[in-house]
Amino acid sequence: MSNVGSNVVVIGAQWGDEGKGKIVDWLSVRADVVARFQGGHNAGHTLIIDGVKFKLSLLPSGIVRGGKMSVIGNGVVIDPWALLKEIDILTEQGVEVAPENLLISLSAGLILPIHQKVDQVRERLAAGGKIGTTGRGIGPAYEDKVARRGLRMADLQDKETLGTRAHALLAHHNVFLRGAGEDALNAEKMLKDLEPLRKKILPFLGEAWQYLDEARKQGKNVLFEGAQGVMLDIDHGTYPYVTSSHTSAGQAATGTGFGIKNIGYVLGITKAYTTRVGEGPFPTEDSSEAGQRMGKRGHEFGTVTGRKRRCGWFDAVMTRQAAIVGGISGMALTKLDVLDGFEVLRICVGYRLGERELTHFPAERSAQAELKPIYEEMPGWEGETKGIRKWEELPEGARAYIKRLEELTGVEVASISTSPEREDTILILDPFGG
């Protein structure tokens, strides 16, 4: 029996921070299940609901809506301390988080204090070659997973197995720490600190793939929530300035155990301009008054780290490439209101690399660093778009800008966000097909 529900994947179409949290929350009214499929607590999703701000890193954005099941899939790496802290904060805000509405995959990887220590020491030693990680241990945890020495949530069920694997893991990483002049971490102390958390987490654990398959058979709508963005993908992003997981739509299937044939619409969240956190190439970055204005009006600071985001003009070349490799069906354009009042808007339509013109983002690191944007200019618009909920009420200039972005990226705009508030959204095409 094939599924009769609709299954939608939400991913970032740029370098992350596109506003996925609000869009997932807004879409989740139509979903029965919301599932995270990659990343860790380096992700940051901010939701503003009736004036109340919710900050999520590990928990799916659907957790703030009653009657929804949230799933953390096997593709996610989980810091148990961060997870329980996030649950405690949401509980204080009146959000119920219980095994009845949160399921964590037994196959998800564990982030432990040793991973954070290694992450931070590596960045310190890298000096001028820093990647710009959040220092939360996500990269080292994924490395251990691939090297088959990592711990998983399932290991929390058996104290003997947990102890054996934890000692082996620390023995491996302590060699590096001692070589870097750092103190080694003690496995027994770490296990002692983990014990009270272990007991709290066990009730949430289960076979996520099995639950999702049953949901499919019952015709339920599943919404898959990605973290970061396609241009931070470990394979397709601006390597090595990328995250440690796959951020494209295909990972929604791999990172949850949900068959790829059951994935339907893929919504790429896309800012009306471009931002980036941390190191790495950014051809359309604007350090002038225009970029500063975007940052100030868009409140461009990372949800997780608080780091100031670099801001610049919309890069249609990069977004078109992200749509192709990410499997994007349509765009949700966010933060349109940030561009209110700009007399002239610039859109990158190509790159100059020496004497050559490119219409794609090159894979070579040296080439990426030398790219110069080729801009097309458009007039801005008068008046405010903030809070508008109907297409026809947008200023003519704003509608023209959106249509041009569709032409240049080859992707239709399915919705437009005009403020951080949940309902300030213009729906053009329903990803769930209703």
Side-chain angles (χ1 to χ4, degrees):
M1 176 182 175
S2 62
N3 62 310
V4 293
S6 297
N7 305 307
V8 175
V9 177
V10 172
I11 60 175
Q14 295 160 314
W15 278 301
D17 307 306
E18 301 95 348
K20 291 182 290 296
K22 175 201 166 166
I23 300 300
V24 170
D25 169 64
W26 178 70
L27 284 171
S28 65
V29 70
R30 298 285 312 282
D32 302 294
V33 182
V34 182
R36 273 283 307 272
F37 57 85
Q38 48 82 217
H41 63 307
N42 55 342
H45 295 164
T46 300
L47 314 180
I48 300 177
I49 302 168
D50 297 327
V52 179
K53 184 179 289 186
F54 299 93
K55 291 188 176 183
L56 306 176
S57 293
L58 273 169
L59 296 172
S61 296
I63 199 74
V64 300
R65 282 196 186 267
K68 311 294 176 184
M69 188 65 179
S70 290
V71 175
I72 299 179
N74 56 276
V76 179
V77 284
I78 300 170
D79 178 329
W81 285 269
L83 173 66
L84 290 176
K85 181 179 179 181
E86 192 171 324
I87 289 174
D88 287 344
I89 291 172
L90 284 183
T91 300
E92 290 173 4
Q93 291 183 287
V95 177
E96 181 185 4
V97 183
E100 289 72 32
N101 69 337
L102 175 64
L103 172 64
I104 302 173
S105 171
L106 285 159
S107 301
L110 267 173
I111 298 175
L112 298 169
I114 188 69
H115 294 124
Q116 295 162 350
K117 184 73 171 177
V118 168
D119 202 356
Q120 293 160 11
V121 172
R122 282 180 181 171
E123 279 290 276
R124 176 176 62 79
L125 294 177
K130 289 183 179 180
I131 299 299
T133 77
T134 59
R136 283 163 167 74
I138 283 83
Y142 273 120
E143 289 175 33
D144 283 346
K145 175 180 178 176
V146 174
R148 300 183 292 274
R149 60 174 170 259
L151 277 71
R152 306 199 298 176
M153 301 304 286
D155 294 324
L156 295 177
Q157 296 180 126
D158 185 333
K159 288 182 66 174
E160 185 177 346
T161 299
L162 180 66
T164 300
R165 294 186 64 83
H167 276 86
L169 183 70
L170 265 67
H172 170 83
H173 286 298
N174 279 335
V175 172
F176 163 73
L177 290 179
R178 292 191 188 98
E182 299 284 335
D183 293 334
L185 267 64
N186 183 275
E188 288 301 327
K189 182 183 182 305
M190 187 187 72
L191 288 166
K192 183 179 178 181
D193 293 342
L194 185 60
E195 180 59 20
L197 284 74
R198 183 182 76 86
K199 293 178 179 178
K200 292 180 181 179
I201 289 173
L202 285 177
F204 293 99
L205 303 183
E207 298 288 9
W209 67 268
Q210 214 166 42
Y211 177 86
L212 290 170
D213 187 54
E214 285 301 315
R216 177 189 65 80
K217 290 176 179 176
Q218 294 169 23
K220 293 183 177 180
N221 291 345
V222 182
L223 183 60
F224 295 90
E225 177 181 13
Q228 290 88 39
V230 173
M231 296 309 291
L232 289 176
D233 185 274
I234 189 68
D235 279 342
H236 299 292
T238 48
Y239 191 88
Y241 303 101
V242 292
T243 194
S244 299
S245 60
H246 293 288
T247 58
S248 65
Q251 181 63 19
T254 306
T256 61
F258 195 76
I260 189 68
K261 65 181 181 180
N262 301 312
I263 299 295
Y265 195 90
V266 180
L267 186 66
I269 315 302
T270 316
K271 267 181 188 163
Y273 49 104
T274 308
T275 63
R276 179 165 197 166
V277 171
E279 309 298 324
F282 186 175
T284 65
E285 183 173 9
D286 191 312
S287 301
S288 72
E289 187 274 334
Q292 298 296 321
R293 183 176 173 185
M294 293 175 199
K296 185 176 181 180
R297 296 192 63 182
H299 305 288
E300 296 296 352
F301 294 90
T303 299
V304 170
T305 62
R307 287 186 293 180
K308 184 178 180 181
R309 296 176 186 138
R310 301 152 64 189
C311 297
W313 300 103
F314 190 91
D315 191 334
V317 181
M318 181 186 76
T319 306
R320 181 173 64 243
Q321 189 162 319
I324 293 170
V325 302
I328 293 171
S329 311
M331 283 192 291
L333 196 67
T334 64
K335 292 198 170 184
L336 180 67
D337 55 301
V338 172
L339 298 182
D340 290 351
F342 277 83
E343 291 187 7
V344 177
L345 300 173
R346 307 175 96 187
I347 306 171
C348 176
V349 296
Y351 306 120
R352 221 168 248 111
L353 180 61
E355 299 299 316
R356 293 187 294 153
E357 287 190 9
L358 301 181
T359 56
H360 71 282
F361 209 111
E364 301 89 348
R365 184 175 176 180
S366 57
Q368 291 175 357
E370 298 299 322
L371 295 176
K372 304 297 180 186
I374 300 171
Y375 284 120
E376 175 182 298
E377 294 188 346
M378 291 186 68
W381 53 85
E382 295 182 359
E384 288 192 354
T385 62
K386 187 173 183 178
I388 290 178
R389 300 180 183 181
K390 294 182 179 180
W391 169 260
E392 58 271 18
E393 293 179 3
L394 289 173
E396 183 178 345
R399 295 199 302 269
Y401 179 70
I402 294 165
K403 287 296 184 184
R404 186 59 180 147
L405 297 189
E406 287 184 319
E407 293 170 0
L408 291 170
T409 61
V411 182
E412 62 184 349
V413 171
S415 63
I416 304 160
S417 173
T418 57
S419 97
E421 288 289 344
R422 174 188 279 173
E423 300 304 328
D424 288 343
T425 309
I426 300 170
L427 178 64
I428 299 171
L429 185 151
D430 186 349
F432 281 109

